[in-house]
Amino acid sequence: MSATVRRVLGEGFRVFFLAAGLYGLFTGVIWGMWLAAQAGEGPIGEASYAMAAPMWHAHEMIFGYATAALGGFFLTAVPNWTGAPGARTAYITAAAGLWLAGRAAMWFSASLAPWAVAVADLAFVPILAAKIATQLMRRPKPQNMIFLAFLAFIWIANLMAHLEWLGLTADTLDTGLRAGLLSLCGMIAVLGGRITPAFTRNAMKREGEPEETWPVSVPHLEKASLILALALPVPILILGPGAVAGVVALALGVVLFLRLSRWRARWALRQPILIALHLGLGMLGLGLILWGLALLGVGNEIGALHVLGIGAVGGMTLAVMSRAALGHSGRALIAPPPVAVAYGLMAAAALLRWIGAGLDAGYLVVMLAADGSWVVAFALYLVAMWPALTQPRASGAG
């Protein structure tokens, strides 16, 4: 095993943020090829996966790309929260192997038994949850333990998708996909709601800004946001996407914007690595409001879901992965120019996809433009962050 491979497998952020970037790029390219085929600009070959292409695409964005990003984040952040030892190379290697096995099983699902695909795809999240649970128990704070609930929601949502593919249920796939996405959104509301004002406050403090100008947290808004974020996936899992879920989403979206209005986004504009966090949470608030309205009969639900999936999940994971990779590899917390461009492209992709959902003429053109923005964003991320993810720490340790 080469030194680079050992290094990548030795820290969770390296292997999983690298995997997320590569898989985000791969899935974007594959989706773009499918869209081009629908437009008559490319061949339509026989797919290696068993499900319809849009379902493979949706599933892999939620339970493939996003879970890799979660793996890298939690394996890096939880030891810092609790003082627990970081995961060993053997565990990280095994966990990464399970994640990859799930992706391979989904890709080759047309040639595999549905139960084998389900087993392979459902294995990673429990292994991740078990590891971080043992670390969290060293300092079992409720505000950290709730992430185990979000991981459970994500796993149950994925199970619902597989139950339909197994033929055991008739209509749980769409609910599972939505519950998985909204579980990710709830988790982002909690995590992003912590780190965005904290990182902005720290940056303002370093630059000597007076304390009265720092981000302000309002306790009743913080509590409301936490309760609504944790509640967000529950009505979807129990009742399916409907009016109850729509009201919860609307309420959380409004609360998020009220919180964001106090976090000095205008000041953060001078630092791309900061404004990307504000932008990701802004996309989350916008997407939740649009989705809530759509469930209540106003607007396009698919467009709203993509504001959440691309703008909130894609945008916030890109922001957090790049920041964490820089910080934990001993590099300055300054977004490289390609990554700063990637932040903007991700937001553009979300808005283009939302616009495209309401079009008849030009639909595929706008869809391809949105997909192209996603692909270029991840290509830029990989090129710029490759040294931080694969090379020794900037200090020389490593």
Side-chain angles (χ1 to χ4, degrees), residues 288-299:
L288 287 170
I289 290 171
L290 291 173
W291 188 65
L293 289 173
L295 292 186
L296 297 174
V298 180

Side-chain angles (χ1 to χ4, degrees), residues 366-377:
V366 176
M367 289 276 285
L368 283 166
D371 181 73
S373 295
W374 170 282
V375 168
V376 175

Side-chain angles (χ1 to χ4, degrees), residues 3-26:
T4 299
V5 172
R6 286 196 301 272
R7 186 180 305 115
V8 168
L9 294 174
E11 295 180 273
F13 81 89
R14 292 182 185 272
V15 64
F16 282 109
F17 289 171
L18 190 61
L22 290 168
Y23 202 60
L25 179 64
F26 170 76

Side-chain angles (χ1 to χ4, degrees), residues 2 10 33-34 38 50 53 88 93 101 112 120 148 150-151 158 164 178 221 276 292:
S2 71
M33 291 171 62
W34 187 83
Q38 305 311 300
R88 295 183 178 182
T93 303
L112 299 171
L148 296 175
F150 282 116
L151 288 174
N158 197 7
E164 183 168 334
R178 283 164 174 77
L221 290 178

Side-chain angles (χ1 to χ4, degrees), residues 32-299:
M33 291 171 62
W34 187 83
L35 289 172
Q38 305 311 300
E41 299 297 331
I44 303 178
E46 185 174 352
S48 60
Y49 40 82
M51 60 289 300
M55 294 299 99
W56 175 85
H57 165 71
H59 181 277
E60 291 304 280
M61 288 292 94
I62 297 165
F63 303 110
Y65 163 75
T67 58
L70 290 181
F73 176 81
F74 283 123
L75 291 175
T76 304
V78 173
N80 288 338
W81 295 345
T82 64
R88 295 183 178 182
T89 299
Y91 169 84
I92 295 172
T93 303
L98 284 175
W99 176 85
L100 185 60
R103 311 289 52 79
M106 288 297 300
W107 180 252
F108 294 109
S109 54
S111 305
L112 299 171
W115 67 264
V117 176
V119 168
D121 186 42
L122 290 166
F124 171 66
V125 169
I127 295 298
L128 174 64
K131 182 62 178 178
I132 67 173
T134 62
Q135 296 173 328
L136 287 171
M137 287 306 295
R138 288 176 65 103
R139 295 178 186 171
K141 297 180 179 180
Q143 64 265 36
N144 294 332
M145 298 297 288
I146 63 170
F147 294 116
L148 296 175
F150 282 116
L151 288 174
F153 292 151
I154 290 168
W155 189 86
I156 293 168
N158 197 7
L159 176 64
M160 293 176 74
H162 282 286
L163 287 175
E164 183 168 334
W165 285 328
L166 285 163
L168 300 177
T169 60
D171 58 356
T172 57
L173 173 59
D174 285 344
T175 297
L177 292 175
R178 283 164 174 77
L181 175 59
L182 273 296
S183 296
L184 291 169
C185 290
M187 192 180 296
I188 288 170
V190 175
L191 279 171
R194 287 187 196 176
I195 65 176
T196 302
F199 290 165
T200 304
R201 186 180 299 112
N202 292 344
M204 295 181 77
K205 185 176 180 180
R206 283 195 302 270
E207 296 201 11
E209 298 290 343
E211 186 173 351
E212 60 269 20
T213 67
W214 297 353
V216 175
S217 294
V218 180
H220 68 268
L221 290 178
E222 307 296 311
K223 185 177 294 186
S225 181
L226 179 62
I227 293 170
L228 289 167
L230 193 56
L232 185 62
V234 176
I236 309 168
L237 289 167
I238 297 174
L239 304 172
V244 175
V247 169
V248 175
L250 263 173
L252 180 55
V254 171
V255 169
L256 283 174
F257 273 120
L258 290 174
R259 295 175 73 197
L260 272 168
S261 69
R262 298 169 176 268
W263 290 348
R264 310 299 186 246
R266 182 179 296 180
W267 187 92
L269 280 169
R270 66 186 71 184
Q271 297 186 21
I273 206 161
L274 275 181
I275 198 59
L277 297 172
H278 291 258
L279 182 59
L281 275 185
M283 283 287 181
L284 177 57
L286 175 63
L288 287 170
I289 290 171
L290 291 173
W291 188 65
L293 289 173
L295 292 186
L296 297 174
V298 180

